[in-house]
Amino acid sequence: MEYRRFSDTFIMRLNRGEEIIASIGALCEREGIMLGSVSAIGAIGEATLGYFDTNVKQYFTHQYAGIYEIANMSGNISTQDGKPYLHIHAVLAGEDGTAFGGHLSRAVVSATCEVLIRVLDGHVGRSFSEEIGLNLVTFSG
Ligand code: ZN
């Protein structure tokens, strides 16, 4: 992982073998980023994508291993219990160009990954909603 800050934006390069979500979390912890937006492109060899089934209020995941482009990755950084909370989605494209996507919980870089993190001033929390079954954005906590 290498990164630089340019005014309110961090640009980070991840290398082969690095896991994207853990790396972004480590940067947030290290730099004290508590609110922001995330976007990235790159190439990965492994990924775990999930979807939330609202009927049973539970995440289900699919594991992928192969050759994939990150066609788009976007998300946000908020906080829960005083720690950075990442919520990131990704659209991946395989060898035939077919795209698929979901909630990104893990992705391992195969070539490179270029991440932009825009830092925002302020605080947005998360709190668990029994009704929905997810940690929703909250402006009070
Ligand atoms: Zn999600």
Side-chain angles (χ1 to χ4, degrees), residues 18-73:
E18 292 185 299
E19 199 283 303
I20 296 172
I21 300 297
S23 299
I24 294 171
L27 175 72
C28 291
E29 293 266 3
R30 192 154 145 188
E31 297 292 338
I33 302 168
M34 302 304 253
L35 183 63
S37 63
V38 178
S39 65
I41 54 174
I44 59 170
E46 291 173 43
T48 303
L49 292 174
Y51 66 95
F52 187 76
D53 184 332
T54 51
N55 295 316
V56 293
K57 300 180 183 178
Q58 198 181 325
Y59 268 106
F60 292 91
T61 59
H62 294 291
Q63 314 269 349
Y64 299 92
I67 295 171
Y68 303 108
E69 290 286 326
I70 302 172
N72 187 50
M73 187 181 120

Side-chain angles (χ1 to χ4, degrees), residues 1-3 12-15 18 22-27 30:
M1 175 204 300
E2 273 188 59
Y3 66 90
M12 176 167 65
R13 187 194 80 211
L14 299 177
N15 300 319
E18 292 185 299
S23 299
I24 294 171
L27 175 72
R30 192 154 145 188

